[in-house]
Structure formats: structure tokens, C-alpha cells
């Protein structure tokens, strides 16, 4: 096997980093997933807002970088937002990083990004590693229509209620989950969503990276998935499209006709039930006694 080059022999030259907030993606496990542009921004940053300053200090040290670090976790995000607005207004370069992956996604940095945007100050994304996308492409499930649902509620009743809301979605679903709750979450997913194809992705880009694929009910019973360690992403395939019955169509049309003209009612029900509008329009006229 050929050893990889330690560094690209040639690379585009760095561009000047102007004042603003930079949402800098960091590796989710493998430190070599850091992008050249992310390194340029962190090297130029006057301030780095970090979910955990200890984790970010190790990251910066790995690349020989030094920067002023300020905490930006759930308890400090409001203060971090005020500080970012103040420093950017003074002409500073402020970088926002999470412990791993892309900031703002299920991350307290969202508060900072939203505040800076509301203040009318420049915000720039620095793309890079993302466990969401890494798991999606590794899962082997459809990636053309995707709904990211973040973390499910910690208790079963809340999980099942949220899953019931997502059941009708015709997209691939992506969830974040912790090891101790994984078995219970998979059990609730199987109960609510049925035996859909799914994948449990763990420790992505790290030495012990794993991806276990199978129906949800089989994954829920897999002893290897009983409280595993590490960061976990669960990807669930879309449900099968169900064709609405004639009774369903009539009920929807009757409700819509109480508010809308036949043509508008037919259009609304056509979109909601994925049925032909022309046939629905004829049926709407019949229900009004005009057909």
C-alpha cells in the first residue's frame, strides 16, 4: 500500500481573512480531516468561541496554533454572542467551533450565529467534517431527500410521540443518539416506524468506526448495540408510500369544500394525498351535487 503524502505538494494560496464570524467545521475523529481553509481562519482569528475550550485547545495545539479561547456552551452562549458582536464591530475575526464537526447543528453555537446575523454582521461558513453527512453516505440509504431530527427526547413517551410525528415523512431520517439510550431508542423506532431499513453508525472516521445495517427491529435486538461507547448517528430509511383510499379522499374533500371552491379544494387534497387533481375535481363536484 502506498503511503499518503504528508501534505499536498501544491495548494491554492490562502486568502486574506476579513472581519466577521466564521463557522469553522472541525474533525469528528480523524485530525487529518481539518481543511486548509479552516486552518487559515483559525490562524487569523482574534477570538475562538468553543463549546469546550479544553477540547479546542488540543485541536489548536495539534496544528501549532494559538488563539484566545472563550467558552460557548449551553450556559455561556448568550454571553458569547454579545462578545462576538462586540469584537466583530471592532474589526475582529471571530471563529466559532464545536467539539467536533460542523458548529450550529444541534450545537449551542446556534445562539451566536443567529445573534450575529440579526446584528447585520458578516457570517461565513467554513465547510468540513459532519457526522450527519458521513453517516448518511455510509448508510447506503437514499440521500436525495433527508430530514435531520437531531436528538430524540430522553424518555420513551416523548420519543414515541416525536417518532409518530415523523412517521408520515417520506424522507430518510437522521438522528443523533448516545450509547446508553441507543437500545431504548431503537426499540421505540421499531415500534413506531416498523421494520424500516436503518443503519447505526458509530465512532465515524476513528479507529473503531462501525456501521451496523439492518431492519430497525433487528437492530433493536442486536446485542452489539446494547450501550456502545462513542458518538452515534442513526439513519432510518423512508417509509413506503401509502395510497389514500376513496374514503380518505372523500373525507379530505368534504373538509376542504367547507372552506374552498371545488377547484381549490381538489388542488389542496391532491397535494396532501398525492392523488390526481382531475379525478378529485370531478369527485368534488359530485359531492356538491353538481357532477
Amino acid at each position: 500500500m502506498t503511503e499518503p503524502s504528508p501534505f499536498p505538494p501544491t495548494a491554492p494560496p490562502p486568502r486574506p481573512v476579513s472581519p466577521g464570524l466564521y463557522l469553522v467545521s472541525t474533525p469528528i475523529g480523524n485530525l487529518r480531516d481539518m481543511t486548509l481553509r479552516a486552518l487559515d481562519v483559525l490562524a487569523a482569528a482574534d477570538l475562538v468561541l468553543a463549546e469546550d475550550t479544553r477540547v479546542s485547545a488540543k485541536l489548536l495545539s495539534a496544528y501549532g496554533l494559538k488563539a484566545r479561547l472563550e467558552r460557548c456552551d449551553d450556559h455561556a452562549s448568550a454571553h458569547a454572542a454579545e462578545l462576538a458582536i462586540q469584537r466583530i464591530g471592532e474589526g475582529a475575526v471571530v471563529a466559532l467551533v464545536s467539539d467536533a464537526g460542523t458548529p450550529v447543528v444541534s450545537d449551542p453555537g446556534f445562539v451566536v450565529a443567529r445573534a450575529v446575523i440579526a446584528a447585520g454582521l458578516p457570517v461565513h461558513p467554513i465547510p468540513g467534517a459532519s457526522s450527519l453527512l458521513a453517516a448518511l453516505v455510509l448508510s447506503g440509504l437514499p440521500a436525495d431527500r433527508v430530514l435531520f431530527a437531531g436528538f430524540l427526547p430522553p424518555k420513551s413517551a416523548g420519543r414515541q410521540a416525536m417518532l409518530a410525528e415523523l412517521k408520515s415523512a417520506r424522507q430518510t431520517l437522521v438522528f443523533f443518539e448516545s450509547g446508553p439510550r441507543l437500545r431504548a431508542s431503537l426499540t421505540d423506532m421499531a415500534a413506531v416506524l416498523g421494520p424500516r431499513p436503518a443503519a447505526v453508525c458509530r465512532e465515524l472516521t476513528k479507529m473503531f468506526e462501525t456501521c451496523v445495517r439492518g431492519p430497525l427491529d433487528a437492530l433493536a435486538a442486536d446485542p452489539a448495540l446494547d450501550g456502545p461507547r462513542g458518538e452515534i448517528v442513526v439513519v432510518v430509511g423512508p417509509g413506503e408510500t401509502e395510497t389514500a383510499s376513496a374514503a380518505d379522499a372523500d373525507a379530505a374533500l368534504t373538509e376542504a369544500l367547507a372552506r374552498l371552491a371545488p377547484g381549490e379544494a381538489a388542488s389542496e387534497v391532491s397535494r396532501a394525498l398525492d392523488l390526481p387533481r382531475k379525478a378529485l375535481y370531478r369527485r368534488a363536484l359530485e359531492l356538491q351535487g353538481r357532477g
Side-chain angles (χ1 to χ4, degrees), residues 52-64:
D52 187 326
T53 55
R54 295 166 298 180
V55 172
S56 297
K58 292 178 182 178
L59 175 69
L60 294 173
S61 177
Y63 293 102

Side-chain angles (χ1 to χ4, degrees), residues 49 76-88 111-112 115-116:
L49 301 175
S77 57
H79 171 70
E82 294 174 0
L83 183 59
I85 291 171
Q86 175 189 333
R87 294 303 313 277
I88 295 168
V111 174
V112 176
V116 174

